[in-house]
Amino acid sequence: MFKNIEKKIFIPTFLTLIIFILLIRFFPKETKNIISYLFNVCTEKFGWLYLVVCLLAFVFMFCLTFSKYGNVKLGDPGEVPRYNNMSWIAMLFTSGVGSSLVILGFLEPIYYVSSPPFQIEPFSQKAFEYAHMYGQFHWGPSAWALYNPAIIAIAYMLFVKKENKLRLSTACKCVLGKRVDGLIGNIIDILVVFGVVGGISTSLGISAPVIADIIRHVFKIPNQYELIVQITVLLIWVVLFGSAVYLGLDKGIQKLSNINVILAFGFMVILLLVGPTVDIFKMEVSSIGLYLQDFWKMSTYADPFGDGIFTKNWTVFYWGWWLAFMPMMGMFVGNISRGRTIRNVMWGQLIWGSLGCCVSFMIFGGYSLYLQYTGTVDLAFILETQGQSAALMAILETLPLKNVMMVYLCIVCFVYLATTVDSCAYVLAGTTTKNLSCTDEPARWNRILWAILFCTLSIGLMMIDGLEAVKTMSILTGLPLIGVLILLMVSVRRMLINSDNH
Ligand code: NM2
């Protein structure tokens, strides 16, 4: 059973995570302090770097798609794409985003309106305008661009160079040469594992408590069962995800992704129709203008003369989170993109990924800002005094058939996160398996083991409580991946230039 395991990667990462979980369990206070210290160091000292690298990836993507290399096929000449467009888009979208899109889609604009960027007066008209738009920036094209170098590098290695390993280190081969098989390659893969675990535990840490609270509310389960319900939620996730694993990539993840898109779309349409439809459209039109006008300003807002709180808490956190997801998305989307051209993958990713997020923020954010603006519910106050779950429930309480809508929202979140957890575990198992070809699937026990591990980690993080700890997981694991991303960009460039000479 363990014969095919890459021990050099599996053992150090697995042990570190177990130690970390034990630390959280037995020294919660001390661990929380260390996490808080790390959050400050990363955001204070390196915040600017996250901004630069994100912009770099964005520019890189444009240069590449508009160059002649955009036509390069990630596969054999004449090969048709392995998945049809609909399924491909559904898979790339649902693996890249999870339930946080729904939860933060509703709540993030409320955080922004009470503490806006650019020294804007809280709750002013301008604050509302920016609040509706800013989430779309954090989930928009520049963020999706962070995934591209990894996707292209992996797909090129797998389907053009016919490399037999589903690993991020392999994708850096053009720069590192033989060294990818040595220590440097191992370090890259270890960083990948930490990144994936960090990214997904942020998602679980944000979503699980909120969903558990909604379930408790709908089914009137008393407060003292809070932790039990949270753990049950995580366990159901593992089961749901486990069955998709059992069915494999084609039957499992593909089907679940399609269901995911339909459910999420249905939820948005209902909200748009029962909500203030015209106001939501007005907000969106204004947000698009504001986005285009302020794109460069937002991308470079390091806030050197201010306290930098907005940047640290949001933009840097987000770029860290997207970076942490980068290896997973690179390997996963790279693997499902066989037979497509570079331009097709890049635009597909950018347009459909950003569009999906943008529509979610337009509707969810628009609805909650409307409630706040018209004074129907003081969400900002509820969010500050009672937390995310209470604020989300206050939003859902305003809907017709509120209990049905709450259950519907929970189902959407479940499926959203199951597809993400699923792809993460797939990638982790791939990274920790020896000689895995792109047509093989990593062992099921390996994938389920990872899923159980990050659920345990999330339970730990929930116990030490606090959004900061949850956010730090991504910021911290995303930081070293900045180096990997730069390496990947250089690697893609070299790969393509070399292909010219052949
Ligand atoms: N992002 C923000 O739970 C989730 O929505 C995961 C992670 C895309 C890096 C999203």
Side-chain angles (χ1 to χ4, degrees):
M1 180 159 131
F2 296 104
K3 232 181 32 227
N4 217 8
I5 290 297
E6 188 65 87
K7 297 191 187 62
K8 280 179 277 177
I9 301 170
F10 187 84
I11 295 176
T13 45
F14 205 78
L15 283 184
T16 316
L17 290 169
I18 298 282
I19 293 173
F20 187 59
I21 292 171
L22 291 176
L23 277 178
I24 295 181
R25 171 72 187 81
F26 293 106
F27 305 97
K29 255 213 201 104
E30 291 80 355
T31 320
K32 193 176 177 186
N33 289 344
I34 296 175
I35 290 179
S36 174
Y37 171 76
L38 291 173
F39 176 87
N40 282 328
V41 172
C42 289
T43 53
E44 183 66 45
K45 304 266 185 263
F46 298 103
W48 60 274
L49 190 60
Y50 291 83
L51 301 185
V52 171
V53 82
C54 183
L55 210 50
L56 209 65
F58 186 72
V59 173
F60 176 82
M61 182 194 66
F62 269 92
C63 296
L64 191 56
T65 31
F66 288 117
S67 75
K68 63 175 180 181
Y69 299 116
N71 295 324
V72 170
K73 185 159 244 173
L74 301 165
D76 299 323
E79 189 173 347
V80 287
R82 176 170 166 203
Y83 294 100
N84 67 38
N85 285 342
M86 253 322 281
S87 287
W88 180 74
I89 292 168
M91 279 200 273
L92 92 82
F93 185 71
T94 56
S95 58
V97 300
S99 43
S100 322
L101 177 65
V102 182
I103 294 169
L104 293 175
F106 278 112
L107 300 180
E108 215 175 299
I110 302 296
Y111 280 114
Y112 296 160
V113 84
S114 35
S115 356
F118 311 136
Q119 293 81 46
I120 294 169
E121 179 76 24
F123 300 104
S124 61
Q125 192 177 330
K126 215 166 167 195
F128 275 94
E129 286 170 9
Y130 272 91
H132 188 257
M133 179 273 293
Y134 231 109
Q136 298 178 43
F137 169 67
H138 288 145
W139 292 75
S142 23
W144 283 88
L146 283 169
Y147 293 158
N148 277 329
I151 297 177
I152 304 299
I154 298 258
Y156 193 84
M157 275 312 202
L158 285 179
F159 307 126
V160 181
K161 292 270 187 206
K162 311 279 187 223
E163 273 287 340
N164 220 8
K165 282 188 195 160
L166 185 65
R167 296 245 177 99
L168 205 65
S169 58
T170 320
C172 301
K173 209 169 183 172
C174 286
V175 180
L176 297 175
K178 288 227 166 64
R179 277 172 295 173
V180 285
D181 297 319
L183 187 65
I184 300 192
N186 287 339
I187 293 179
I188 293 180
D189 290 322
I190 288 174
L191 293 177
V192 165
V193 175
F194 286 139
V196 177
V197 175
I200 197 72
S201 51
T202 302
S203 299
L204 286 168
I206 288 179
S207 312
V210 174
I211 295 175
D213 284 347
I214 297 180
I215 293 178
R216 269 193 312 124
H217 176 84
V218 173
F219 297 102
K220 305 202 168 39
I221 304 172
N223 280 359
Q224 75 247 40
Y225 297 119
E226 187 174 348
L227 194 65
I228 298 181
V229 178
Q230 288 181 352
I231 293 173
T232 317
V233 166
L234 286 171
L235 287 181
I236 296 177
W237 251 317
V238 175
V239 172
L240 194 64
F241 136 87
S243 37
V245 165
Y246 194 77
L247 294 170
L249 184 61
D250 284 353
K251 286 202 210 96
I253 304 187
Q254 194 182 356
K255 276 227 179 73
L256 202 56
S257 302
N258 291 343
I259 298 174
N260 187 167
V261 169
I262 296 168
L263 283 177
F265 193 69
F267 187 78
M268 289 197 284
V269 171
I270 296 177
L271 204 70
L272 185 65
L273 295 180
V274 302
T277 319
V278 175
D279 292 272
I280 289 179
F281 280 118
K282 274 199 218 161
M283 286 186 227
E284 185 54 22
V285 172
S286 130
S287 286
I288 293 174
L290 203 55
Y291 178 90
L292 294 174
Q293 177 196 303
D294 274 7
F295 176 78
W296 300 107
K297 185 172 165 188
M298 293 185 289
S299 302
T300 52
Y301 184 52
D303 199 11
F305 304 111
D307 54 14
I309 289 194
F310 184 88
T311 310
K312 285 195 240 169
N313 272 347
W314 295 107
T315 312
V316 171
F317 154 61
Y318 262 117
W319 292 172
W321 198 8
W322 286 87
L323 276 165
F325 264 72
M326 178 226 7
M328 180 288 260
M329 284 300 278
M331 284 186 257
F332 187 74
V333 180
N335 198 13
I336 60 171
S337 298
R338 182 174 196 154
R340 293 176 181 273
T341 61
I342 290 188
R343 184 169 301 123
N344 178 282
V345 172
M346 288 207 166
W347 282 124
Q349 248 255 117
L350 185 80
I351 294 175
W352 294 106
S354 315
L355 199 69
C357 294
C358 167
V359 173
S360 308
F361 267 82
M362 154 184 156
I363 300 174
F364 300 151
Y367 188 70
S368 47
L369 283 174
Y370 178 82
L371 295 179
Q372 179 75 38
Y373 189 69
T374 51
T376 317
V377 191
D378 190 353
L379 292 171
F381 178 73
I382 301 178
L383 190 58
E384 197 180 324
T385 51
Q386 298 165 48
Q388 296 193 336
S389 313
L392 190 61
M393 276 188 275
I395 297 171
L396 298 174
E397 292 273 350
T398 61
L399 295 173
L401 298 175
K402 55 187 184 205
N403 278 351
V404 178
M405 288 306 277
M406 284 188 199
V407 174
Y408 188 6
L409 179 112
C410 288
I411 295 174
V412 171
C413 289
F414 261 107
V415 185
Y416 244 130
L417 205 63
T419 47
T420 313
V421 170
D422 207 352
S423 338
C424 284
Y426 182 84
V427 159
L428 285 182
T431 308
T432 51
T433 306
K434 268 188 206 157
N435 299 331
L436 188 79
S437 81
C438 50
T439 46
D440 292 341
E441 299 233 338
R444 287 180 184 137
W445 70 263
N446 193 349
R447 283 190 269 171
I448 294 183
L449 193 70
W450 284 108
I452 294 176
L453 192 77
F454 33 73
C455 285
T456 323
L457 183 60
S458 311
I459 294 172
L461 286 172
M462 275 169 352
M463 280 158 85
I464 59 172
D465 200 28
L467 201 55
E468 193 180 73
V470 166
K471 282 181 168 182
T472 311
M473 294 303 292
S474 280
I475 298 179
L476 196 63
T477 51
L479 185 61
L481 289 171
I482 290 182
V484 179
L485 177 63
I486 294 174
L487 214 57
L488 285 167
M489 287 194 255
V490 180
S491 202
V492 169
R493 189 174 164 271
R494 270 210 204 153
M495 255 174 217
L496 296 172
I497 292 177
N498 285 350
S499 72
D500 261 354
N501 307 332
H502 285 237

